[in-house]
Amino acid sequence: MAGVSADVRSLEDVTRDAVARAMGAVLPPELAEADPLVRRSEHADFQANAALSLAKKMGAKPREVADSIATALREQTGGRYGVELAGPGFLNLTVTDDAIWSQVAARLADERLGVGTPQLGRRTVVEYSSPNIAKEMHVGHLRTTIIGDALARLLEHQGAEVIRQNHLGDWGTQFGMLIQYIDEHPDAKWRAEDLDEGDLGTVSALDGLYRLARAEFDADPEFAARARRRVVTLQAGDEATLSVWRELVAESEKAFQAIYDYLGVSLTVEHSAGESSYNRYLDEVAAELEQAGVAVISDGALCVFFDDISGADGSPVPLIVRKSDGGYGYAATDLATIRYRIRDLKVNRLLYVVGAPQALHFRMVFETARRIGWLTDDVEAVHVGFGNVLGPGGKPFKTRAGGTVRLIELLDEAVDRARAEIETKPHTLSQEELETVARQAGIGAVKYADLSTSRTKDYTFDPDRMVSFNGNTGVYLQYAHTRIRSILRKLPDGGEDQAKVNVDGPLAPSERALALLADQFAPTLTEVADTLEPHRLCGYLFSLAKAFTEFYEACPVLTAETDELRTNRVALCQLTGATLAEGLRLLGIATPERM
């Protein structure tokens, strides 16, 4: 594709404007600016339904109102639409063939496929992934990482300045406990150079040491006291303690980065913003809240109360900013974080991609930030909640021993299943190519299974279904893309030259359906950016792939009867392939050239 990027308005938007102008010509002034209610339709290209609701306000019959709008639309557009009155007052609208081919040409000629930048001017923080230092990433980190990364990519593509934030759990009592245990057990192996071949890695070793430290903390009051003193020395900036802590953070970040690279997400160490980053603000945040009367002392703790939030027994449930022992928890850190992001980073949109169980916590944090004046009407703060990943039988995902499932094991299993599935199909891939495609398909399958589920719902992790070449799967979409690439490679130029669309050419029903669906790419991205629901993009891409299959079966491309037909169908292949590739890229899913 070539050409300068320009927002190519969808035919649905153009049609909506045309109907709106027609309404303005025939309706009373107070109703002339009503929503035309233009939607895609099974009975025509589009349907306009405004007449039904407006007729009642006018004291007129819906069909009479619709007929007057239709007459004005025909006069104003000079035959650019076929207009039929249907049912109680619907307008069925059909776009001319040349308008559809012109739209295909315009989107194909644009390097961004006609997608505009409606998010331009928005400075957006997307907080996601957020694993804990010295602990392995597990199945619980899957959805936040995948959903957060897809939203960050998509918002960025639409023009937003996206600030990725990996809010690492890198502070608190557990580090005093772990560092004290390491200090008292110098023979404990956890550094990369000390581990034996076959060991699972630094973070796995640290995870094991933490469990041992936890057990000793619970069983030995003297060790518990020493661990608590170690927390104090850590918070006080003791260099020896900080040195070990920095090493724990560095080793953990290396392990996290290896998983991010494997998973193909865009997080790097540069995006790390651990809880420790905000320690220096906690005292002043607490003081500011107390001085403003937003937080009050209750039983020795600094709390924020809410009229509409109470426990099962009816007693108030506060947000505890500072505990009675003077310590700070998640609430204080999150308040310091939101203040920093608004005051210092100067963002106007905050997205927290965190599990649904944290809904009440974020509701209280956001409300507190509003009361103190940090969060204003100019800043949007959203808890982007999501459901759980379930194991076989729809039960909570646990190991046989009842523990959490390591994320890397799930990813490896998906890649193995994808490799086995690909090997059942005829292919000409070398072993090296097979491994690359298996990784792209396996990781893509995991991401698509996650993203294609409404994020507020749970879903079952089923590798066999995920890697299927049939049905609504990432592999199906990747395979659809490879089929298109295979068709284009058979052209003399390998499909690299942009097809020159003949806008006066005939248009078969399956061509029309595919072209109109391709035209919905930009509106779909805008909808996802507004709703923060990536499954809408997944559903769109699946529909596009199915429409391509129906088109390809009905309309031969390489063996088309005329050069004109072949060129236009090649253009549809190019546009569909590019749209699939771009849509999958925005979801963080690779598109192999061959499978």
Side-chain angles (χ1 to χ4, degrees):
M1 290 178 296
V4 178
S5 179
D7 186 1
V8 179
R9 300 187 67 222
S10 70
L11 288 172
E12 183 174 326
D13 282 346
V14 172
T15 301
R16 184 178 295 109
D17 286 352
V19 176
R21 286 193 297 273
M23 288 167 56
V26 298
L27 296 181
E30 65 272 16
L31 300 178
E33 295 185 6
D35 187 340
L37 299 178
V38 171
R39 305 287 186 270
R40 286 294 307 278
S41 171
E42 295 179 358
H43 307 291
D45 294 337
F46 303 102
Q47 191 174 79
N49 300 334
L52 275 74
S53 60
L54 296 177
K56 186 175 182 180
K57 297 176 182 178
M58 296 170 59
K61 294 179 180 179
R63 284 183 66 90
E64 291 177 356
V65 175
D67 190 46
S68 65
I69 296 172
T71 300
L73 181 62
R74 292 188 189 99
E75 292 173 352
Q76 290 178 353
T77 59
R80 290 203 303 273
Y81 290 96
V83 185
E84 291 183 358
L85 188 60
F90 303 124
L91 288 181
N92 287 338
L93 310 172
T94 303
V95 183
T96 59
D97 292 359
D98 65 316
I100 291 178
W101 281 126
S102 295
Q103 196 76 351
V104 169
R107 287 199 179 278
L108 188 58
D110 183 67
E111 59 188 13
R112 287 175 53 87
L113 303 176
V115 175
T117 53
Q119 294 286 321
L120 203 63
R122 300 192 84 171
R123 190 169 166 84
T124 303
V125 159
V126 183
E127 179 186 302
Y128 63 107
S129 195
S130 306
N132 292 314
I133 294 298
K135 291 186 179 180
E136 286 198 278
M137 291 182 70
H138 54 76
V139 64
H141 295 111
L142 184 63
R143 300 209 73 185
T144 172
T145 304
I146 290 174
I147 295 170
D149 200 61
L151 291 177
R153 289 170 181 267
L154 191 137
L155 294 171
E156 210 164 45
H157 187 64
Q158 289 217 308
E161 182 184 356
V162 173
I163 302 172
R164 292 165 173 80
Q165 295 276 273
N166 195 355
H167 193 68
L168 300 171
D170 66 349
W171 205 247
T173 304
Q174 67 269 33
F175 290 98
M177 186 190 308
L178 179 57
I179 293 170
Q180 187 64 31
Y181 186 88
I182 289 172
D183 191 45
E184 294 181 11
H185 298 79
D187 57 337
K189 294 181 178 181
W190 59 275
R191 293 180 175 87
E193 63 269 21
D194 297 330
L195 296 177
D196 297 326
E197 187 175 346
D199 286 344
L200 294 177
T202 298
V203 176
S204 181
L206 286 171
D207 210 336
L209 291 180
Y210 173 77
R211 284 194 286 270
L212 293 173
R214 178 85 245 183
E216 190 164 341
F217 183 91
D218 293 338
D220 183 353
E222 293 185 1
F223 175 76
R226 294 194 298 274
R228 290 191 182 97
R229 287 196 295 272
R230 180 70 72 161
V231 176
V232 175
T233 60
L234 175 64
Q235 293 175 339
D238 174 68
E239 187 52 42
T241 303
L242 278 174
S243 178
V244 178
W245 174 79
R246 291 190 197 102
E247 202 172 353
L248 296 176
V249 172
E251 290 291 346
S252 298
E253 288 188 326
K254 285 181 189 175
F256 299 155
Q257 193 60 53
I259 289 184
Y260 294 147
D261 291 345
Y262 189 29
L263 197 51
V265 299
S266 54
L267 282 174
T268 68
V269 174
E270 293 178 358
H271 303 126
S272 295
E275 294 170 3
S276 61
S277 307
Y278 306 99
N279 284 336
R280 61 186 181 275
Y281 303 125
L282 299 184
D283 285 341
E284 58 188 69
V285 162
E288 194 172 333
L289 289 168
E290 188 172 9
Q291 289 166 9
V294 173
V296 297
I297 300 295
S298 177
D299 294 329
L302 184 63
C303 304
V304 180
F305 289 93
F306 309 86
D307 293 338
D308 57 345
I309 300 176
S310 57
D313 60 356
S315 60
V317 175
L319 182 71
I320 301 176
V321 178
R322 186 179 60 226
K323 293 179 281 188
S324 58
D325 63 3
Y328 294 105
Y330 294 125
T333 301
D334 284 339
L335 286 167
T337 302
I338 200 170
R339 188 185 74 152
Y340 171 78
R341 290 171 177 170
I342 294 171
R343 286 189 178 181
D344 296 75
L345 297 183
K346 302 190 183 306
V347 302
N348 47 34
R349 198 181 196 193
L350 294 155
L351 305 181
Y352 292 81
V353 188
V354 182
Q358 295 299 312
L360 179 60
H361 170 78
F362 281 109
R363 178 182 163 193
M364 292 193 290
V365 167
F366 295 161
E367 176 59 28
T368 300
R370 287 189 188 95
R371 289 187 193 177
I372 193 67
W374 304 332
L375 191 55
T376 66
D377 292 341
D378 296 329
V379 182
E380 180 186 19
V382 183
H383 169 217
V384 186
F386 53 83
N388 296 314
V389 182
L390 304 177
K395 297 178 180 179
F397 217 136
K398 299 287 185 182
T399 63
R400 290 182 179 178
T404 54
V405 178
R406 298 168 66 231
L407 180 53
I408 191 67
E409 291 177 357
L410 287 185
L411 301 181
D412 283 344
E413 181 182 7
V415 171
D416 290 342
R417 298 290 179 90
R419 184 188 302 105
E421 182 72 12
I422 293 169
E423 287 178 332
T424 66
K425 311 290 183 184
H427 68 81
T428 58
L429 301 171
S430 67
Q431 190 59 39
E432 182 179 356
E433 289 171 332
L434 175 62
E435 291 304 319
T436 298
V437 173
R439 184 175 67 254
Q440 292 174 329
I443 298 300
V446 170
K447 288 186 172 184
Y448 189 81
D450 194 304
L451 294 169
S452 60
T453 303
S454 173
R455 61 173 168 79
T456 58
K457 296 180 180 178
D458 300 340
Y459 78 95
T460 300
F461 191 91
D462 182 352
D464 287 333
R465 184 188 63 80
M466 289 177 180
V467 302
S468 173
F469 277 72
N470 300 308
N472 188 9
T473 69
V475 177
Y476 172 78
L477 295 184
Q478 288 172 319
Y479 185 58
H481 175 262
T482 63
R483 286 180 64 198
I484 295 172
R485 293 304 306 159
S486 176
I487 294 167
L488 297 176
R489 278 196 298 271
K490 293 173 183 175
L491 295 169
D493 59 13
E496 295 303 317
D497 291 347
Q498 180 184 311
K500 293 179 174 58
V501 178
N502 177 7
V503 298
D504 296 320
L507 187 67
S510 61
E511 292 174 320
R512 172 180 290 272
L514 181 59
L516 285 170
L517 198 52
D519 191 48
Q520 288 292 305
F521 184 49
T524 299
L525 296 186
T526 298
E527 184 181 21
V528 175
D530 291 341
T531 62
L532 305 174
E533 294 178 339
H535 75 275
R536 296 172 185 264
L537 176 55
C538 295
Y540 166 79
L541 294 175
F542 181 55
S543 296
L544 185 67
K546 288 196 300 180
F548 176 80
T549 298
E550 293 167 4
F551 151 76
Y552 187 63
E553 290 174 352
C555 299
V557 177
L558 300 177
T559 59
E561 294 89 338
T562 66
D563 290 344
E564 176 186 270
L565 283 175
R566 182 170 56 254
T567 300
N568 278 9
R569 289 172 185 175
V570 166
L572 272 176
C573 288
Q574 290 177 330
L575 179 59
T576 305
T579 303
L580 281 174
E582 185 70 343
L584 289 171
R585 183 189 71 80
L586 294 174
L587 296 173
I589 298 174
T591 46
E593 288 288 303
R594 297 190 300 152
M595 289 184 78

